[in-house]
Tab-separated table of all heavy atoms in Angstrom:
chain	number	residue	atom	x	y	z
C	314	ILE	N	13.313	24.789	3.773
C	314	ILE	CA	12.925	25.219	2.427
C	314	ILE	C	14.029	25.010	1.399
C	314	ILE	O	13.755	24.596	0.268
C	314	ILE	CB	12.421	26.691	2.434
C	314	ILE	CG1	11.744	27.038	1.112
C	314	ILE	CG2	13.540	27.649	2.712
C	314	ILE	CD1	10.475	26.341	0.864
C	315	TRP	N	15.278	25.280	1.745
C	315	TRP	CA	16.351	25.175	0.750
C	315	TRP	C	16.596	23.736	0.332
C	315	TRP	O	16.782	23.447	-0.855
C	315	TRP	CB	17.638	25.822	1.261
C	315	TRP	CG	17.461	27.302	1.413
C	315	TRP	CD1	17.480	28.005	2.582
C	315	TRP	CD2	17.180	28.236	0.370
C	315	TRP	NE1	17.220	29.327	2.328
C	315	TRP	CE2	17.040	29.498	0.972
C	315	TRP	CE3	17.027	28.142	-1.006
C	315	TRP	CZ2	16.757	30.637	0.247
C	315	TRP	CZ3	16.751	29.284	-1.725
C	315	TRP	CH2	16.622	30.511	-1.098
C	316	GLY	N	16.554	22.834	1.256
C	316	GLY	CA	16.704	21.421	0.918
C	316	GLY	C	15.551	20.918	0.069
C	316	GLY	O	15.741	20.157	-0.891
C	317	ASP	N	14.350	21.367	0.388
C	317	ASP	CA	13.189	20.947	-0.388
C	317	ASP	C	13.186	21.552	-1.786
C	317	ASP	O	12.803	20.891	-2.753
C	317	ASP	CB	11.905	21.308	0.351
C	317	ASP	CG	11.677	20.432	1.569
C	317	ASP	OD1	12.329	19.379	1.663
C	317	ASP	OD2	10.846	20.803	2.416
C	318	VAL	N	13.625	22.794	-1.908
C	318	VAL	CA	13.700	23.426	-3.238
C	318	VAL	C	14.746	22.721	-4.098
C	318	VAL	O	14.510	22.425	-5.276
C	318	VAL	CB	14.007	24.937	-3.110
C	318	VAL	CG1	14.412	25.532	-4.441
C	318	VAL	CG2	12.799	25.673	-2.554
C	319	MET	N	15.893	22.417	-3.509
C	319	MET	CA	16.943	21.715	-4.260
C	319	MET	C	16.491	20.326	-4.697
C	319	MET	O	16.687	19.933	-5.848
C	319	MET	CB	18.224	21.602	-3.426
C	319	MET	CG	18.950	22.909	-3.256
C	319	MET	SD	19.441	23.650	-4.816
C	319	MET	CE	20.605	22.459	-5.393
C	320	SER	N	15.890	19.591	-3.812
C	320	SER	CA	15.432	18.251	-4.189
C	320	SER	C	14.303	18.335	-5.208
C	320	SER	O	14.232	17.501	-6.119
C	320	SER	CB	14.993	17.464	-2.960
C	320	SER	OG	13.894	18.084	-2.334
C	321	GLY	N	13.446	19.324	-5.127
C	321	GLY	CA	12.392	19.503	-6.124
C	321	GLY	C	12.956	19.822	-7.492
C	321	GLY	O	12.478	19.311	-8.515
C	322	LEU	N	13.984	20.688	-7.544
C	322	LEU	CA	14.620	21.007	-8.829
C	322	LEU	C	15.307	19.785	-9.428
C	322	LEU	O	15.202	19.533	-10.636
C	322	LEU	CB	15.632	22.136	-8.646
C	322	LEU	CG	15.051	23.537	-8.509
C	322	LEU	CD1	16.144	24.534	-8.175
C	322	LEU	CD2	14.335	23.937	-9.778
C	323	ILE	N	15.995	19.024	-8.606
C	323	ILE	CA	16.686	17.831	-9.102
C	323	ILE	C	15.683	16.810	-9.630
C	323	ILE	O	15.871	16.245	-10.714
C	323	ILE	CB	17.579	17.235	-8.004
C	323	ILE	CG1	18.741	18.175	-7.730
C	323	ILE	CG2	18.080	15.851	-8.392
C	323	ILE	CD1	19.546	17.823	-6.508
C	324	VAL	N	14.615	16.597	-8.894
C	324	VAL	CA	13.591	15.658	-9.352
C	324	VAL	C	12.960	16.154	-10.654
C	324	VAL	O	12.741	15.383	-11.589
C	324	VAL	CB	12.515	15.447	-8.254
C	324	VAL	CG1	11.293	14.749	-8.806
C	324	VAL	CG2	13.093	14.656	-7.113
C	325	GLY	N	12.691	17.444	-10.743
C	325	GLY	CA	12.111	17.998	-11.966
C	325	GLY	C	13.040	17.872	-13.162
C	325	GLY	O	12.608	17.535	-14.269
C	326	ILE	N	14.340	18.135	-12.943
C	326	ILE	CA	15.313	18.045	-14.036
C	326	ILE	C	15.442	16.603	-14.529
C	326	ILE	O	15.564	16.347	-15.724
C	326	ILE	CB	16.681	18.602	-13.569
C	326	ILE	CG1	16.583	20.111	-13.418
C	326	ILE	CG2	17.784	18.215	-14.532
C	326	ILE	CD1	17.791	20.734	-12.733
C	327	ILE	N	15.390	15.655	-13.630
C	327	ILE	CA	15.499	14.247	-14.018
C	327	ILE	C	14.178	13.730	-14.584
C	327	ILE	O	14.155	12.963	-15.541
C	327	ILE	CB	15.938	13.394	-12.812
C	327	ILE	CG1	17.369	13.735	-12.454
C	327	ILE	CG2	15.798	11.909	-13.096
C	327	ILE	CD1	17.842	13.111	-11.168
C	328	LEU	N	13.073	14.184	-14.030
C	328	LEU	CA	11.767	13.620	-14.367
C	328	LEU	C	11.264	14.026	-15.746
C	328	LEU	O	10.618	13.218	-16.417
C	328	LEU	CB	10.745	14.042	-13.301
C	328	LEU	CG	9.561	13.144	-13.093
C	328	LEU	CD1	10.017	11.743	-12.729
C	328	LEU	CD2	8.682	13.697	-11.995
C	329	VAL	N	11.551	15.237	-16.192
C	329	VAL	CA	11.022	15.688	-17.493
C	329	VAL	C	11.567	14.840	-18.642
C	329	VAL	O	10.781	14.269	-19.415
C	329	VAL	CB	11.281	17.195	-17.699
C	329	VAL	CG1	10.964	17.605	-19.115
C	329	VAL	CG2	10.450	18.000	-16.715
C	330	PRO	N	12.877	14.694	-18.816
C	330	PRO	CA	13.335	13.843	-19.918
C	330	PRO	C	12.974	12.368	-19.727
C	330	PRO	O	12.699	11.661	-20.694
C	330	PRO	CB	14.854	14.020	-19.927
C	330	PRO	CG	15.198	14.886	-18.811
C	330	PRO	CD	13.984	15.343	-18.132
C	331	GLN	N	12.958	11.913	-18.484
C	331	GLN	CA	12.591	10.533	-18.224
C	331	GLN	C	11.133	10.281	-18.621
C	331	GLN	O	10.821	9.260	-19.237
C	331	GLN	CB	12.795	10.221	-16.745
C	331	GLN	CG	12.547	8.788	-16.371
C	331	GLN	CD	12.740	8.560	-14.877
C	331	GLN	OE1	12.659	9.485	-14.074
C	331	GLN	NE2	12.996	7.320	-14.516
C	332	ALA	N	10.246	11.192	-18.290
C	332	ALA	CA	8.835	11.036	-18.645
C	332	ALA	C	8.638	11.047	-20.154
C	332	ALA	O	7.858	10.251	-20.691
C	332	ALA	CB	8.016	12.152	-17.992
C	333	ILE	N	9.358	11.922	-20.852
C	333	ILE	CA	9.243	11.975	-22.314
C	333	ILE	C	9.765	10.683	-22.932
C	333	ILE	O	9.149	10.109	-23.840
C	333	ILE	CB	9.986	13.216	-22.851
C	333	ILE	CG1	9.274	14.492	-22.392
C	333	ILE	CG2	10.071	13.171	-24.371
C	333	ILE	CD1	10.039	15.754	-22.663
C	334	ALA	N	10.882	10.181	-22.432
C	334	ALA	CA	11.453	8.945	-22.971
C	334	ALA	C	10.536	7.750	-22.720
C	334	ALA	O	10.348	6.914	-23.615
C	334	ALA	CB	12.816	8.686	-22.338
C	335	TYR	N	9.954	7.672	-21.550
C	335	TYR	CA	9.072	6.543	-21.261
C	335	TYR	C	7.783	6.609	-22.080
C	335	TYR	O	7.213	5.579	-22.419
C	335	TYR	CB	8.768	6.468	-19.774
C	335	TYR	CG	9.919	5.956	-18.943
C	335	TYR	CD1	9.989	6.211	-17.588
C	335	TYR	CD2	10.941	5.202	-19.508
C	335	TYR	CE1	11.037	5.736	-16.821
C	335	TYR	CE2	11.991	4.726	-18.751
C	335	TYR	CZ	12.036	4.994	-17.417
C	335	TYR	OH	13.078	4.517	-16.666
C	336	CYS	N	7.333	7.794	-22.401
C	336	CYS	CA	6.157	7.909	-23.269
C	336	CYS	C	6.479	7.458	-24.682
C	336	CYS	O	5.655	6.808	-25.328
C	336	CYS	CB	5.637	9.334	-23.286
C	336	CYS	SG	4.642	9.655	-21.858
C	337	LEU	N	7.649	7.798	-25.152
C	337	LEU	CA	8.045	7.322	-26.473
C	337	LEU	C	8.186	5.796	-26.455
C	337	LEU	O	7.857	5.128	-27.440
C	337	LEU	CB	9.357	7.979	-26.903
C	337	LEU	CG	9.281	9.492	-27.121
C	337	LEU	CD1	10.660	10.056	-27.435
C	337	LEU	CD2	8.291	9.826	-28.216
C	338	LEU	N	8.658	5.252	-25.348
C	338	LEU	CA	8.764	3.809	-25.201
C	338	LEU	C	7.387	3.147	-25.212
C	338	LEU	O	7.204	2.079	-25.796
C	338	LEU	CB	9.491	3.488	-23.892
C	338	LEU	CG	9.830	2.048	-23.589
C	338	LEU	CD1	10.807	1.512	-24.631
C	338	LEU	CD2	10.432	1.951	-22.204
C	339	ALA	N	6.407	3.799	-24.614
C	339	ALA	CA	5.051	3.255	-24.569
C	339	ALA	C	4.269	3.556	-25.835
C	339	ALA	O	3.228	2.960	-26.073
C	339	ALA	CB	4.306	3.812	-23.363
C	340	GLY	N	4.730	4.501	-26.624
C	340	GLY	CA	4.041	4.835	-27.857
C	340	GLY	C	2.866	5.778	-27.674
C	340	GLY	O	1.913	5.745	-28.449
C	341	VAL	N	2.910	6.601	-26.674
C	341	VAL	CA	1.858	7.595	-26.446
C	341	VAL	C	2.487	8.987	-26.534
C	341	VAL	O	3.707	9.133	-26.434
C	341	VAL	CB	1.177	7.390	-25.065
C	341	VAL	CG1	0.447	6.064	-25.021
C	341	VAL	CG2	2.145	7.487	-23.923
C	342	PRO	N	1.686	10.025	-26.736
C	342	PRO	CA	2.241	11.378	-26.795
C	342	PRO	C	2.977	11.760	-25.502
C	342	PRO	O	2.624	11.314	-24.406
C	342	PRO	CB	1.007	12.265	-26.989
C	342	PRO	CG	-0.001	11.378	-27.618
C	342	PRO	CD	0.256	10.009	-27.056
C	343	ALA	N	3.994	12.575	-25.637
C	343	ALA	CA	4.880	12.926	-24.515
C	343	ALA	C	4.170	13.662	-23.389
C	343	ALA	O	4.570	13.560	-22.228
C	343	ALA	CB	6.046	13.764	-25.020
Side-chain angles (χ1 to χ4, degrees):
I314 192 68
W315 294 114
D317 288 344
V318 166
M319 288 301 295
S320 63
L322 283 173
I323 291 170
V324 167
I326 289 170
I327 291 172
L328 206 58
V329 170
Q331 184 181 22
I333 293 170
Y335 286 159
C336 279
L337 295 175
L338 186 63
V341 295

